[in-house]
Amino acid sequence: MARIIDGKAFAEGLRGRIAGHVARIARDHGITPGLAVVLVGEDPASQVYVRNKARQTVAAGMASFEHRLPADVPADRLMALIDRLNADPAVHGILVQLPLPRHLDATMVINAIDPAKDVDGFHTTNVGRLHTGQPAMVPCTPLGCLMLLRHHLGDLSGAEAVVVGRSNIVGRPMAALLLQDNATVTIAHSRSRDLAATCRRADILVAAVGRPGMIGAGHVRPGATVIDVGINRVDDGAGGTRLVGDVDFDAVAPIAGAITPVPGGVGPMTIACLLANTLTACCRRHGLPEPADLAA
Ligand code: NDP
C-alpha cells in the first residue's frame, strides 16, 4: 500500500515556519509582509477562497488587505486599484482572484500587476523567468507539489516525470519546476496518444486534469509517486457531494509508492505557498535574505 503524502500536515508546518519568519522580520526590521486580494463579483467559490486566504494571512502574522469590487466594475477602475496597490509600500503581494467576469481581460489585468508583487506567478514576466530558469514568483499550486515531492523523494534528478495537463496555472509551471530539478519531463494533454502507456513510464506522475478518477491502476507504474492536483465535486450517492481527485485513489493506492489524497493532499499547499510567496516578495523588496527553510 502506498505511503500517504500528508499535504495538510506539511502545509501546517510550512505556515508555522512562515509565521516564525514574519515575527522575526517584524521584530528585527519593523516590517510586516502584506498581501492584497482583489475579488471582483460574487462567485461563491471565489468568496470562500478569498476568506480562507485572508484568515490564513492574518494567522501567519501578515497584513491582509481585501478589495471587493462589483461584478460590473469598469476595467479602468480595476486597473486604477492595481496601480494603487503597486505603489503601496505596505503591500508586498497582490492577487486578483480568478476567474474574472467576462468583460474583463484576465491577461491584461494580471500583467498590470508589478511582477515583483505577482504572488500568483501568472504575470508574463514571471512565466518567462520560470521557463528560462531565472528567479521568479512561482505559481502556488505547482510550487506546493514540488515541495511535497522534494520532501518525500529528496533529489529529483533523473526521475521520469509525467505531468497530465498543460494549463498555465498548474501543468506548464509544474513541468518547468520538475525540469529545473533535473527530472526528465513529459507533458501529456487531451490530444496525447496512449495516455496510460505514457503515464506508466513515470516515477513521478502529476495529474492536473479536472476529470474525477481519470487516472486508474492502468496508468501507474508500481512504486511511482502520484500527485493528485484535481479537485472535483461529485455526487456522494446520499443526496450530497464530496471532493475527489483526478486519480482513482482506491485503485491506485495499492500500486503506487506514495500518493496524495484528496482532500488533504495538494489542496492545503496552495494557500501555504501563497503566504510563502508573499514572504519571499517582502524579503526581495527590502533586500532581506530569503528564508532557506520554507520547503524543509
Ligand atoms: P484546465 O481545465 O485549465 O486544464 C486541464 C488540462 O487537462 C488541459 O491541459 C487538458 O488538455 C487536460 N485534459 C483534459 N482532458 C484530458 C484527457 N482526457 N486526457 C489528458 N489530458 C486531458 O485545469 P487546471 O489545470 O486549472 O486544473 C486541473 C485540476 O486541478 C482541476 O480539477 C482543478 O480544480 C484542480 N486545481 C487544484 C488546485 C489546488 O489548489 N489543489 C489549484 C488549481 C487547480 P488540453 O490542453 O489539450 O485541453
Side-chain angles (χ1 to χ4, degrees):
M1 196 69 176
R3 234 171 359 133
I4 303 300
I5 300 176
D6 187 344
K8 194 165 170 237
F10 189 94
E12 206 175 300
L14 175 56
R15 290 198 308 270
R17 291 192 292 281
I18 292 168
H21 289 296
V22 170
R24 182 182 45 77
I25 290 170
R27 187 189 62 223
D28 295 350
H29 304 280
I31 298 166
T32 303
L35 172 64
V37 176
V38 179
L39 175 62
V40 182
E42 310 273 315
D43 179 61
S46 294
Q47 292 197 1
V48 172
Y49 291 142
V50 166
R51 224 180 3 255
N52 285 341
K53 283 168 187 169
R55 194 167 40 78
Q56 294 191 27
T57 304
V58 170
M62 299 186 185
S64 168
F65 308 98
E66 233 177 279
H67 296 269
R68 289 170 182 264
L69 298 172
D72 60 354
V73 66
D76 57 354
R77 208 177 125 206
L78 175 57
M79 298 304 250
L81 171 61
I82 292 174
D83 281 349
R84 277 207 308 283
L85 296 174
N86 282 341
D88 186 341
V91 172
H92 301 93
I94 302 170
L95 179 150
V96 177
Q97 183 67 45
L98 299 177
L100 288 171
R102 280 169 174 279
H103 71 285
L104 296 167
D105 176 348
T107 305
M108 189 182 79
V109 171
I110 298 302
N111 281 339
I113 298 172
D114 176 351
K117 296 191 178 189
D118 166 40
V119 281
D120 250 345
F122 296 158
H123 191 293
T124 304
T125 297
N126 281 317
V127 175
R129 285 177 163 271
L130 174 62
H131 284 268
T132 51
Q134 301 176 66
M137 297 307 304
V138 176
C140 302
T141 299
L143 179 59
C145 295
L146 184 75
M147 285 187 189
L148 293 178
L149 282 168
R150 282 180 178 166
H151 183 68
H152 283 268
L153 293 174
D155 186 9
L156 307 185
S157 291
E160 284 283 346
V162 175
V163 179
V164 189
R166 56 176 165 179
S167 73
N168 291 332
I169 293 172
V170 190
R172 285 173 206 244
M174 185 75 250
L177 288 171
L178 288 164
L179 191 60
Q180 228 167 58
D181 266 29
N182 300 312
T184 303
V185 184
T186 302
I187 306 179
H189 46 78
S190 67
R191 311 290 176 88
S192 296
R193 259 180 298 164
D194 202 348
L195 181 69
T198 302
C199 290
R200 278 198 306 273
R201 293 209 309 263
D203 303 313
I204 296 169
L205 179 60
V206 181
V209 187
R211 289 178 183 264
M214 195 194 94
I215 301 296
H219 295 77
V220 178
R221 165 155 134 188
T225 300
V226 179
I227 302 290
D228 189 353
V229 183
I231 299 181
N232 309 289
R233 197 165 278 286
V234 297
D235 198 329
D236 68 357
T241 59
R242 65 190 178 101
L243 288 185
V244 299
D246 291 340
V247 176
D248 180 346
F249 185 90
D250 292 341
V252 168
I255 302 166
I259 186 167
T260 57
V262 176
V266 173
M269 291 300 292
T270 299
I271 297 183
C273 286
L274 174 67
L275 303 182
N277 278 351
T278 304
L279 176 61
T280 300
C282 175
C283 291
R284 289 181 187 167
R285 169 77 34 159
H286 295 283
L288 303 174
E290 289 174 38
D293 65 342
L294 288 185

